Amino acid sequence: MTADVFLFWFLAFMTIVSGLGVVLMANPIYSALSLAMTMISVAAIFVTLQAYFLAGVQIIVYAGAVMVLFVMVLMLFDLKHELQAFTRGRATGAIKIATVGILSGLVVGAVTIGLTIGGKNQAEVASATKAAGIVDTTRGLSEALFLKNVFGFEALGVLLLVIAVGTVALSRSKGGTHARD
Amino acid sequence: MPETNIITTIGPEHYLVLSALLFSIGMAGVLLRRNLIVLLMSIELMLNAVNISFITFSHYSGKVEGQIMVFFVMTIAAAEAAVGLALAVSIFKRFKEVNIRFFEHLKG
């Protein structure tokens, strides 16, 4: 067993366990900490897939900014106790869990069957990857982002401006954190 | 066809199955939890699972377009978290609890 194989299994285990922690922890602050752990594991998985720049962005944006936002809002709420963390009712809960189980089984089965049928092409894909050999990933990424997809990039900028104005308007409205009296 | 060992040979299907499992965990969280904050966290989990599969396909096909899409997904996720948390604060100010059953009273 080589080092990268061990690394994959370790990271997969960490991701799944901390992802389960997000859903199963009754206290929201522990959920937030589990989510931070999941984000860091996902960033490490990006590193094993040689997406170094996106791993850095993942750590800065998710584990930094978004998680701080979540934890700050949780501190603002001061949730001492949480009544009824999960949905009420055994029947609907069983239906929901069965739905999730069927979905995950379908997805995993489709992926495995699809890749077994297409398994003949795997050698070709591997050789193509080696031939393509994105040597300088960050450079290729920036060229694709700023030359080919520049319209989407600018549209995202406009979207972020709209979101920022909308959030400020929401917090100034009746019932928000900075409501006018 | 020689039988490749599934434990010691890591291929794209390993990453895709991991992504599917993470997505299902996030979906279970969205369906089962009642706390609005945990609901938003589960949505972030699902978006991260999608990001893993994008990067897997980008890596194994040798193209960078998948990574561009991950940039867009990250931006949308940050924006969605900001708006969702503003709504959560607005619910908490009125009802002193963040539970999705108060969403219907938010009108007006």
Side-chain angles (χ1 to χ4, degrees), chain A residues 4 13 20 31 42-43 53 62 67 81 85-87 90 95 101 103 122 131 137-139 147 153 161 168 174 179:
Chain A
D4 54 341
F13 178 75
L20 279 176
S31 291
V42 170
F53 186 69
Y62 269 127
M67 285 318 301
H81 61 291
F86 294 90
T87 47
R90 287 179 191 279
I95 290 175
L103 174 86
Q122 275 193 5
T137 1
T138 309
R139 185 195 174 101
L147 295 180
F153 183 74
L161 180 68
V168 170
K174 189 162 150 266

Side-chain angles (χ1 to χ4, degrees), chain A residues 59-137:
Chain A
I59 293 230
I60 292 171
V61 172
Y62 269 127
V66 173
M67 285 318 301
V68 167
L69 201 63
F70 272 112
V71 173
M72 288 290 283
V73 170
L74 279 177
M75 296 295 174
L76 194 67
F77 287 169
D78 188 26
L79 293 173
K80 287 285 192 304
H81 61 291
E82 193 188 9
L83 302 168
Q84 196 193 344
F86 294 90
T87 47
R88 201 195 306 251
R90 287 179 191 279
T92 54
I95 290 175
K96 284 168 183 169
I97 289 177
T99 313
V100 173
I102 289 171
L103 174 86
S104 63
L106 277 180
V107 171
V108 171
V111 165
T112 13
I113 290 172
L115 286 169
T116 324
I117 291 172
K120 280 175 257 171
N121 299 326
Q122 275 193 5
E124 294 171 24
V125 168
S127 65
T129 311
K130 280 197 185 106
I134 316 167
V135 189
D136 201 348
T137 1

Side-chain angles (χ1 to χ4, degrees), chain B residues 87-102:
Chain B
L87 281 174
V89 167
S90 147
I91 288 180
F92 182 78
K93 288 271 287 186
R94 197 170 299 184
F95 301 107
K96 300 294 170 218
E97 200 182 341
V98 274
N99 200 309
I100 50 168
R101 67 194 155 106
F102 291 124

Side-chain angles (χ1 to χ4, degrees), chain A residues 23 25 58 62 87 148 177, chain B residues 24 32-33 44 48 65 89:
Chain A
V23 175
M25 292 282 186
Q58 170 93 6
Y62 269 127
T87 47
K148 273 197 265 178
T177 40
Chain B
S24 303
L32 291 174
R33 294 301 297 257
E44 300 285 333
N48 264 290
E65 273 77 11
V89 167

